[in-house]
Amino acid sequence: MVGDLMTDAVARARYPLARASDTPAVVTMHGGGSGANIASWLAVEGAEVAFVGRRGADITGRNRDMELMGYGVDARLVMDPERPTGTCVVLVTHKGERTLLSDPGANAALSPDDLPRDLFIQGGHLHVSGYTLLNDGSRDAGLTALEHARRAGMSISVDCASAAPLERTGAEPFLEWTGSAKLLLANEAQAKVLTGRDDPAAAAKVLTAWFPQVVIKMSAEGSLWYSGNRAEPVRAPADHIERIIDGTGAGDAFAAGFLQPWLEGKQPADALAAGNALAAKAISNLGARPRL
């Protein structure tokens, strides 16, 4: 796993946001970063996972490092002597809608030299967080990781990170960079950025021109998997959730839930169901990570 490591400052508003004024909220600090989140959920679910990233030489970075090890992740974190550990302010409205304000910090300095070559072995799997590719500073590291994995004969998956930075970067470059991946994970908004299609199934079909397999996350509508040799996508309904606490990291939890059975060769419907179940678990908790 190559990706981003963050500290999430989650501010959950109790009432509608009072613009240019004060709104009561519950503010909590959590480990975050899409790549680190996926690694954490995978480890808790019993997978053997190493995470490659970069942190600051600060107390926050040390805490995030220890946290990953507590989940059972083989944390390969390079300490940046100048940049702080990345931070994301997560504004959660009283209805559960999220807005993210991100400072990548040390993540933006991840370099090809930070990649441990012993992790790139035949029979292994590489997942690259889209944030690593969308950030100018860490892009070379992401591209190098993809090349190392391709040469080693590893399977590869990539996620699309977030729609806004994906749109700023552009669909064409992102598709060119990630063309060696066997699996692309995207949500509806990200799939639309890449294809211009509003319908998730139509977007998935377009994306199979670049990727053998595509998964689209559709929030309350569940998820779908599509391969170019099928007439119709495989769909799985979302799990029922009694109460939405925090949607932060739900897509990362889905990715972890999907990847493990998918890598074990189970049917797409089973992998989708596992992804939906783990996403529902994440939504029922505050923060993007499993509870230790």
PDB file of all heavy atoms in Angstrom, residues 232-264:
ATOM      1  N   GLU A 232     -23.683  -7.062 -18.448  1.00  0.00           N
ATOM      2  CA  GLU A 232     -24.214  -6.168 -17.427  1.00  0.00           C
ATOM      3  C   GLU A 232     -23.332  -6.206 -16.184  1.00  0.00           C
ATOM      4  O   GLU A 232     -22.702  -7.220 -15.887  1.00  0.00           O
ATOM      5  CB  GLU A 232     -25.648  -6.569 -17.046  1.00  0.00           C
ATOM      6  CG  GLU A 232     -26.655  -6.403 -18.172  1.00  0.00           C
ATOM      7  CD  GLU A 232     -26.824  -4.956 -18.595  1.00  0.00           C
ATOM      8  OE1 GLU A 232     -26.668  -4.067 -17.738  1.00  0.00           O
ATOM      9  OE2 GLU A 232     -27.123  -4.722 -19.780  1.00  0.00           O
ATOM     10  N   PRO A 233     -23.299  -5.117 -15.415  1.00  0.00           N
ATOM     11  CA  PRO A 233     -22.504  -5.101 -14.193  1.00  0.00           C
ATOM     12  C   PRO A 233     -23.123  -5.951 -13.086  1.00  0.00           C
ATOM     13  O   PRO A 233     -24.329  -6.217 -13.099  1.00  0.00           O
ATOM     14  CB  PRO A 233     -22.491  -3.625 -13.800  1.00  0.00           C
ATOM     15  CG  PRO A 233     -23.731  -3.067 -14.402  1.00  0.00           C
ATOM     16  CD  PRO A 233     -23.945  -3.813 -15.680  1.00  0.00           C
ATOM     17  N   VAL A 234     -22.301  -6.351 -12.134  1.00  0.00           N
ATOM     18  CA  VAL A 234     -22.770  -7.024 -10.924  1.00  0.00           C
ATOM     19  C   VAL A 234     -23.024  -5.937  -9.884  1.00  0.00           C
ATOM     20  O   VAL A 234     -22.198  -5.057  -9.671  1.00  0.00           O
ATOM     21  CB  VAL A 234     -21.707  -8.020 -10.403  1.00  0.00           C
ATOM     22  CG1 VAL A 234     -22.143  -8.635  -9.080  1.00  0.00           C
ATOM     23  CG2 VAL A 234     -21.436  -9.092 -11.445  1.00  0.00           C
ATOM     24  N   ARG A 235     -24.175  -6.007  -9.231  1.00  0.00           N
ATOM     25  CA  ARG A 235     -24.546  -4.991  -8.253  1.00  0.00           C
ATOM     26  C   ARG A 235     -24.758  -5.613  -6.878  1.00  0.00           C
ATOM     27  O   ARG A 235     -25.134  -6.788  -6.771  1.00  0.00           O
ATOM     28  CB  ARG A 235     -25.832  -4.265  -8.670  1.00  0.00           C
ATOM     29  CG  ARG A 235     -25.718  -3.502  -9.985  1.00  0.00           C
ATOM     30  CD  ARG A 235     -27.064  -2.932 -10.404  1.00  0.00           C
ATOM     31  NE  ARG A 235     -26.998  -2.215 -11.672  1.00  0.00           N
ATOM     32  CZ  ARG A 235     -26.818  -0.908 -11.789  1.00  0.00           C
ATOM     33  NH1 ARG A 235     -26.698  -0.163 -10.693  1.00  0.00           N
ATOM     34  NH2 ARG A 235     -26.770  -0.326 -12.969  1.00  0.00           N
ATOM     35  N   ALA A 236     -24.534  -4.812  -5.837  1.00  0.00           N
ATOM     36  CA  ALA A 236     -24.805  -5.237  -4.465  1.00  0.00           C
ATOM     37  C   ALA A 236     -25.435  -4.079  -3.714  1.00  0.00           C
ATOM     38  O   ALA A 236     -24.928  -2.951  -3.770  1.00  0.00           O
ATOM     39  CB  ALA A 236     -23.523  -5.683  -3.771  1.00  0.00           C
ATOM     40  N   PRO A 237     -26.552  -4.313  -3.014  1.00  0.00           N
ATOM     41  CA  PRO A 237     -27.222  -3.220  -2.298  1.00  0.00           C
ATOM     42  C   PRO A 237     -26.437  -2.790  -1.070  1.00  0.00           C
ATOM     43  O   PRO A 237     -25.684  -3.574  -0.483  1.00  0.00           O
ATOM     44  CB  PRO A 237     -28.565  -3.841  -1.901  1.00  0.00           C
ATOM     45  CG  PRO A 237     -28.277  -5.310  -1.797  1.00  0.00           C
ATOM     46  CD  PRO A 237     -27.254  -5.600  -2.863  1.00  0.00           C
ATOM     47  N   ALA A 238     -26.617  -1.539  -0.673  1.00  0.00           N
ATOM     48  CA  ALA A 238     -25.975  -1.038   0.540  1.00  0.00           C
ATOM     49  C   ALA A 238     -26.597  -1.673   1.767  1.00  0.00           C
ATOM     50  O   ALA A 238     -27.780  -2.037   1.770  1.00  0.00           O
ATOM     51  CB  ALA A 238     -26.113   0.481   0.610  1.00  0.00           C
ATOM     52  N   ASP A 239     -25.791  -1.836   2.812  1.00  0.00           N
ATOM     53  CA  ASP A 239     -26.306  -2.344   4.073  1.00  0.00           C
ATOM     54  C   ASP A 239     -27.167  -1.274   4.745  1.00  0.00           C
ATOM     55  O   ASP A 239     -26.913  -0.081   4.620  1.00  0.00           O
ATOM     56  CB  ASP A 239     -25.145  -2.713   5.010  1.00  0.00           C
ATOM     57  CG  ASP A 239     -24.470  -3.999   4.605  1.00  0.00           C
ATOM     58  OD1 ASP A 239     -24.440  -4.307   3.387  1.00  0.00           O
ATOM     59  OD2 ASP A 239     -23.962  -4.703   5.495  1.00  0.00           O
ATOM     60  N   HIS A 240     -28.173  -1.746   5.478  1.00  0.00           N
ATOM     61  CA  HIS A 240     -29.018  -0.804   6.222  1.00  0.00           C
ATOM     62  C   HIS A 240     -28.234  -0.233   7.399  1.00  0.00           C
ATOM     63  O   HIS A 240     -27.546  -0.967   8.115  1.00  0.00           O
ATOM     64  CB  HIS A 240     -30.274  -1.503   6.734  1.00  0.00           C
ATOM     65  CG  HIS A 240     -31.129  -0.635   7.605  1.00  0.00           C
ATOM     66  ND1 HIS A 240     -31.856   0.427   7.108  1.00  0.00           N
ATOM     67  CD2 HIS A 240     -31.345  -0.656   8.955  1.00  0.00           C
ATOM     68  CE1 HIS A 240     -32.498   1.019   8.096  1.00  0.00           C
ATOM     69  NE2 HIS A 240     -32.203   0.394   9.237  1.00  0.00           N
ATOM     70  N   ILE A 241     -28.340   1.070   7.589  1.00  0.00           N
ATOM     71  CA  ILE A 241     -27.643   1.745   8.690  1.00  0.00           C
ATOM     72  C   ILE A 241     -28.680   2.452   9.552  1.00  0.00           C
ATOM     73  O   ILE A 241     -29.453   3.278   9.048  1.00  0.00           O
ATOM     74  CB  ILE A 241     -26.617   2.765   8.153  1.00  0.00           C
ATOM     75  CG1 ILE A 241     -25.591   2.065   7.263  1.00  0.00           C
ATOM     76  CG2 ILE A 241     -25.915   3.480   9.306  1.00  0.00           C
ATOM     77  CD1 ILE A 241     -24.704   3.018   6.510  1.00  0.00           C
ATOM     78  N   GLU A 242     -28.694   2.118  10.826  1.00  0.00           N
ATOM     79  CA  GLU A 242     -29.661   2.723  11.744  1.00  0.00           C
ATOM     80  C   GLU A 242     -29.445   4.229  11.879  1.00  0.00           C
ATOM     81  O   GLU A 242     -30.380   5.011  11.844  1.00  0.00           O
ATOM     82  CB  GLU A 242     -29.559   2.059  13.119  1.00  0.00           C
ATOM     83  CG  GLU A 242     -30.065   0.626  13.160  1.00  0.00           C
ATOM     84  CD  GLU A 242     -31.574   0.521  12.984  1.00  0.00           C
ATOM     85  OE1 GLU A 242     -32.268   1.536  13.237  1.00  0.00           O
ATOM     86  OE2 GLU A 242     -32.048  -0.552  12.566  1.00  0.00           O
ATOM     87  N   ARG A 243     -28.187   4.614  12.047  1.00  0.00           N
ATOM     88  CA  ARG A 243     -27.879   6.023  12.244  1.00  0.00           C
ATOM     89  C   ARG A 243     -26.519   6.346  11.655  1.00  0.00           C
ATOM     90  O   ARG A 243     -25.533   5.666  11.952  1.00  0.00           O
ATOM     91  CB  ARG A 243     -27.875   6.354  13.738  1.00  0.00           C
ATOM     92  CG  ARG A 243     -27.644   7.840  14.031  1.00  0.00           C
ATOM     93  CD  ARG A 243     -27.509   8.068  15.513  1.00  0.00           C
ATOM     94  NE  ARG A 243     -27.177   9.470  15.809  1.00  0.00           N
ATOM     95  CZ  ARG A 243     -26.647   9.887  16.951  1.00  0.00           C
ATOM     96  NH1 ARG A 243     -26.386   9.015  17.904  1.00  0.00           N
ATOM     97  NH2 ARG A 243     -26.385  11.152  17.127  1.00  0.00           N
ATOM     98  N   ILE A 244     -26.467   7.358  10.803  1.00  0.00           N
ATOM     99  CA  ILE A 244     -25.206   7.789  10.216  1.00  0.00           C
ATOM    100  C   ILE A 244     -24.482   8.688  11.214  1.00  0.00           C
ATOM    101  O   ILE A 244     -24.983   9.747  11.588  1.00  0.00           O
ATOM    102  CB  ILE A 244     -25.433   8.542   8.891  1.00  0.00           C
ATOM    103  CG1 ILE A 244     -26.062   7.614   7.851  1.00  0.00           C
ATOM    104  CG2 ILE A 244     -24.117   9.109   8.364  1.00  0.00           C
ATOM    105  CD1 ILE A 244     -26.437   8.316   6.564  1.00  0.00           C
ATOM    106  N   ILE A 245     -23.317   8.245  11.650  1.00  0.00           N
ATOM    107  CA  ILE A 245     -22.518   9.027  12.595  1.00  0.00           C
ATOM    108  C   ILE A 245     -21.527   9.914  11.846  1.00  0.00           C
ATOM    109  O   ILE A 245     -21.446  11.116  12.082  1.00  0.00           O
ATOM    110  CB  ILE A 245     -21.766   8.105  13.581  1.00  0.00           C
ATOM    111  CG1 ILE A 245     -22.759   7.226  14.343  1.00  0.00           C
ATOM    112  CG2 ILE A 245     -20.909   8.927  14.534  1.00  0.00           C
ATOM    113  CD1 ILE A 245     -23.732   7.986  15.210  1.00  0.00           C
ATOM    114  N   ASP A 246     -20.761   9.316  10.937  1.00  0.00           N
ATOM    115  CA  ASP A 246     -19.726  10.067  10.218  1.00  0.00           C
ATOM    116  C   ASP A 246     -19.343   9.273   8.977  1.00  0.00           C
ATOM    117  O   ASP A 246     -18.902   8.127   9.076  1.00  0.00           O
ATOM    118  CB  ASP A 246     -18.512  10.275  11.135  1.00  0.00           C
ATOM    119  CG  ASP A 246     -17.381  11.036  10.462  1.00  0.00           C
ATOM    120  OD1 ASP A 246     -17.598  11.583   9.363  1.00  0.00           O
ATOM    121  OD2 ASP A 246     -16.280  11.075  11.030  1.00  0.00           O
ATOM    122  N   GLY A 247     -19.504   9.893   7.818  1.00  0.00           N
ATOM    123  CA  GLY A 247     -19.172   9.198   6.569  1.00  0.00           C
ATOM    124  C   GLY A 247     -17.705   9.242   6.214  1.00  0.00           C
ATOM    125  O   GLY A 247     -17.287   8.644   5.206  1.00  0.00           O
ATOM    126  N   THR A 248     -16.874   9.900   7.034  1.00  0.00           N
ATOM    127  CA  THR A 248     -15.448  10.009   6.738  1.00  0.00           C
ATOM    128  C   THR A 248     -14.815   8.622   6.680  1.00  0.00           C
ATOM    129  O   THR A 248     -14.938   7.839   7.618  1.00  0.00           O
ATOM    130  CB  THR A 248     -14.720  10.840   7.814  1.00  0.00           C
ATOM    131  OG1 THR A 248     -15.399  12.070   7.984  1.00  0.00           O
ATOM    132  CG2 THR A 248     -13.285  11.088   7.407  1.00  0.00           C
ATOM    133  N   GLY A 249     -14.155   8.325   5.589  1.00  0.00           N
ATOM    134  CA  GLY A 249     -13.455   7.056   5.454  1.00  0.00           C
ATOM    135  C   GLY A 249     -14.324   5.889   5.026  1.00  0.00           C
ATOM    136  O   GLY A 249     -13.825   4.762   4.923  1.00  0.00           O
ATOM    137  N   ALA A 250     -15.594   6.120   4.749  1.00  0.00           N
ATOM    138  CA  ALA A 250     -16.472   5.018   4.343  1.00  0.00           C
ATOM    139  C   ALA A 250     -15.994   4.382   3.030  1.00  0.00           C
ATOM    140  O   ALA A 250     -16.000   3.155   2.880  1.00  0.00           O
ATOM    141  CB  ALA A 250     -17.908   5.506   4.197  1.00  0.00           C
ATOM    142  N   GLY A 251     -15.568   5.229   2.096  1.00  0.00           N
ATOM    143  CA  GLY A 251     -15.052   4.693   0.832  1.00  0.00           C
ATOM    144  C   GLY A 251     -13.774   3.907   1.016  1.00  0.00           C
ATOM    145  O   GLY A 251     -13.533   2.920   0.319  1.00  0.00           O
ATOM    146  N   ASP A 252     -12.939   4.326   1.979  1.00  0.00           N
ATOM    147  CA  ASP A 252     -11.702   3.593   2.264  1.00  0.00           C
ATOM    148  C   ASP A 252     -12.026   2.235   2.888  1.00  0.00           C
ATOM    149  O   ASP A 252     -11.402   1.221   2.550  1.00  0.00           O
ATOM    150  CB  ASP A 252     -10.820   4.399   3.217  1.00  0.00           C
ATOM    151  CG  ASP A 252     -10.453   5.760   2.657  1.00  0.00           C
ATOM    152  OD1 ASP A 252     -10.359   5.881   1.416  1.00  0.00           O
ATOM    153  OD2 ASP A 252     -10.271   6.694   3.448  1.00  0.00           O
ATOM    154  N   ALA A 253     -12.991   2.228   3.813  1.00  0.00           N
ATOM    155  CA  ALA A 253     -13.410   0.965   4.423  1.00  0.00           C
ATOM    156  C   ALA A 253     -13.992   0.035   3.358  1.00  0.00           C
ATOM    157  O   ALA A 253     -13.720  -1.179   3.362  1.00  0.00           O
ATOM    158  CB  ALA A 253     -14.429   1.225   5.530  1.00  0.00           C
ATOM    159  N   PHE A 254     -14.775   0.598   2.434  1.00  0.00           N
ATOM    160  CA  PHE A 254     -15.304  -0.225   1.341  1.00  0.00           C
ATOM    161  C   PHE A 254     -14.170  -0.861   0.554  1.00  0.00           C
ATOM    162  O   PHE A 254     -14.213  -2.065   0.242  1.00  0.00           O
ATOM    163  CB  PHE A 254     -16.175   0.608   0.399  1.00  0.00           C
ATOM    164  CG  PHE A 254     -16.582  -0.159  -0.834  1.00  0.00           C
ATOM    165  CD1 PHE A 254     -17.738  -0.902  -0.845  1.00  0.00           C
ATOM    166  CD2 PHE A 254     -15.770  -0.175  -1.973  1.00  0.00           C
ATOM    167  CE1 PHE A 254     -18.094  -1.660  -1.967  1.00  0.00           C
ATOM    168  CE2 PHE A 254     -16.112  -0.920  -3.088  1.00  0.00           C
ATOM    169  CZ  PHE A 254     -17.277  -1.658  -3.086  1.00  0.00           C
ATOM    170  N   ALA A 255     -13.166  -0.064   0.211  1.00  0.00           N
ATOM    171  CA  ALA A 255     -12.044  -0.585  -0.582  1.00  0.00           C
ATOM    172  C   ALA A 255     -11.375  -1.745   0.130  1.00  0.00           C
ATOM    173  O   ALA A 255     -11.067  -2.777  -0.487  1.00  0.00           O
ATOM    174  CB  ALA A 255     -11.040   0.534  -0.855  1.00  0.00           C
ATOM    175  N   ALA A 256     -11.148  -1.597   1.440  1.00  0.00           N
ATOM    176  CA  ALA A 256     -10.518  -2.674   2.210  1.00  0.00           C
ATOM    177  C   ALA A 256     -11.409  -3.911   2.242  1.00  0.00           C
ATOM    178  O   ALA A 256     -10.936  -5.039   2.067  1.00  0.00           O
ATOM    179  CB  ALA A 256     -10.226  -2.202   3.630  1.00  0.00           C
ATOM    180  N   GLY A 257     -12.702  -3.693   2.455  1.00  0.00           N
ATOM    181  CA  GLY A 257     -13.621  -4.825   2.495  1.00  0.00           C
ATOM    182  C   GLY A 257     -13.712  -5.547   1.172  1.00  0.00           C
ATOM    183  O   GLY A 257     -13.838  -6.776   1.128  1.00  0.00           O
ATOM    184  N   PHE A 258     -13.646  -4.799   0.078  1.00  0.00           N
ATOM    185  CA  PHE A 258     -13.709  -5.403  -1.254  1.00  0.00           C
ATOM    186  C   PHE A 258     -12.412  -6.117  -1.617  1.00  0.00           C
ATOM    187  O   PHE A 258     -12.427  -7.229  -2.158  1.00  0.00           O
ATOM    188  CB  PHE A 258     -14.014  -4.334  -2.309  1.00  0.00           C
ATOM    189  CG  PHE A 258     -14.058  -4.866  -3.722  1.00  0.00           C
ATOM    190  CD1 PHE A 258     -15.236  -5.352  -4.249  1.00  0.00           C
ATOM    191  CD2 PHE A 258     -12.908  -4.893  -4.508  1.00  0.00           C
ATOM    192  CE1 PHE A 258     -15.276  -5.869  -5.545  1.00  0.00           C
ATOM    193  CE2 PHE A 258     -12.939  -5.402  -5.796  1.00  0.00           C
ATOM    194  CZ  PHE A 258     -14.130  -5.889  -6.319  1.00  0.00           C
ATOM    195  N   LEU A 259     -11.275  -5.476  -1.333  1.00  0.00           N
ATOM    196  CA  LEU A 259      -9.994  -5.986  -1.828  1.00  0.00           C
ATOM    197  C   LEU A 259      -9.651  -7.375  -1.310  1.00  0.00           C
ATOM    198  O   LEU A 259      -9.165  -8.222  -2.072  1.00  0.00           O
ATOM    199  CB  LEU A 259      -8.871  -5.012  -1.471  1.00  0.00           C
ATOM    200  CG  LEU A 259      -8.733  -3.774  -2.354  1.00  0.00           C
ATOM    201  CD1 LEU A 259      -7.708  -2.812  -1.780  1.00  0.00           C
ATOM    202  CD2 LEU A 259      -8.352  -4.176  -3.786  1.00  0.00           C
ATOM    203  N   GLN A 260      -9.892  -7.614  -0.020  1.00  0.00           N
ATOM    204  CA  GLN A 260      -9.463  -8.898   0.529  1.00  0.00           C
ATOM    205  C   GLN A 260     -10.152 -10.087  -0.142  1.00  0.00           C
ATOM    206  O   GLN A 260      -9.468 -10.987  -0.640  1.00  0.00           O
ATOM    207  CB  GLN A 260      -9.657  -8.935   2.044  1.00  0.00           C
ATOM    208  CG  GLN A 260      -9.053 -10.185   2.682  1.00  0.00           C
ATOM    209  CD  GLN A 260      -8.969 -10.076   4.192  1.00  0.00           C
ATOM    210  OE1 GLN A 260      -9.345  -9.081   4.778  1.00  0.00           O
ATOM    211  NE2 GLN A 260      -8.472 -11.116   4.826  1.00  0.00           N
ATOM    212  N   PRO A 261     -11.484 -10.142  -0.217  1.00  0.00           N
ATOM    213  CA  PRO A 261     -12.100 -11.275  -0.922  1.00  0.00           C
ATOM    214  C   PRO A 261     -11.807 -11.282  -2.419  1.00  0.00           C
ATOM    215  O   PRO A 261     -11.696 -12.351  -3.033  1.00  0.00           O
ATOM    216  CB  PRO A 261     -13.600 -11.098  -0.641  1.00  0.00           C
ATOM    217  CG  PRO A 261     -13.762  -9.687  -0.214  1.00  0.00           C
ATOM    218  CD  PRO A 261     -12.484  -9.295   0.441  1.00  0.00           C
ATOM    219  N   TRP A 262     -11.663 -10.105  -3.006  1.00  0.00           N
ATOM    220  CA  TRP A 262     -11.328 -10.031  -4.438  1.00  0.00           C
ATOM    221  C   TRP A 262      -9.965 -10.665  -4.697  1.00  0.00           C
ATOM    222  O   TRP A 262      -9.791 -11.432  -5.651  1.00  0.00           O
ATOM    223  CB  TRP A 262     -11.357  -8.578  -4.886  1.00  0.00           C
ATOM    224  CG  TRP A 262     -10.999  -8.340  -6.319  1.00  0.00           C
ATOM    225  CD1 TRP A 262     -11.773  -8.589  -7.415  1.00  0.00           C
ATOM    226  CD2 TRP A 262      -9.761  -7.805  -6.818  1.00  0.00           C
ATOM    227  NE1 TRP A 262     -11.093  -8.226  -8.569  1.00  0.00           N
ATOM    228  CE2 TRP A 262      -9.865  -7.751  -8.230  1.00  0.00           C
ATOM    229  CE3 TRP A 262      -8.591  -7.361  -6.206  1.00  0.00           C
ATOM    230  CZ2 TRP A 262      -8.826  -7.275  -9.030  1.00  0.00           C
ATOM    231  CZ3 TRP A 262      -7.568  -6.880  -7.011  1.00  0.00           C
ATOM    232  CH2 TRP A 262      -7.683  -6.842  -8.399  1.00  0.00           C
ATOM    233  N   LEU A 263      -8.991 -10.364  -3.847  1.00  0.00           N
ATOM    234  CA  LEU A 263      -7.658 -10.940  -3.996  1.00  0.00           C
ATOM    235  C   LEU A 263      -7.659 -12.441  -3.730  1.00  0.00           C
ATOM    236  O   LEU A 263      -6.799 -13.169  -4.244  1.00  0.00           O
ATOM    237  CB  LEU A 263      -6.674 -10.243  -3.050  1.00  0.00           C
ATOM    238  CG  LEU A 263      -6.309  -8.812  -3.428  1.00  0.00           C
ATOM    239  CD1 LEU A 263      -5.559  -8.127  -2.289  1.00  0.00           C
ATOM    240  CD2 LEU A 263      -5.477  -8.790  -4.704  1.00  0.00           C
ATOM    241  N   GLU A 264      -8.613 -12.910  -2.950  1.00  0.00           N
ATOM    242  CA  GLU A 264      -8.728 -14.350  -2.670  1.00  0.00           C
ATOM    243  C   GLU A 264      -9.472 -15.090  -3.774  1.00  0.00           C
ATOM    244  O   GLU A 264      -9.654 -16.295  -3.699  1.00  0.00           O
ATOM    245  CB  GLU A 264      -9.447 -14.551  -1.334  1.00  0.00           C
ATOM    246  CG  GLU A 264      -8.639 -14.075  -0.123  1.00  0.00           C
ATOM    247  CD  GLU A 264      -9.454 -14.062   1.158  1.00  0.00           C
ATOM    248  OE1 GLU A 264     -10.690 -14.308   1.087  1.00  0.00           O
ATOM    249  OE2 GLU A 264      -8.870 -13.813   2.224  1.00  0.00           O
TER     250      GLU A 264
END
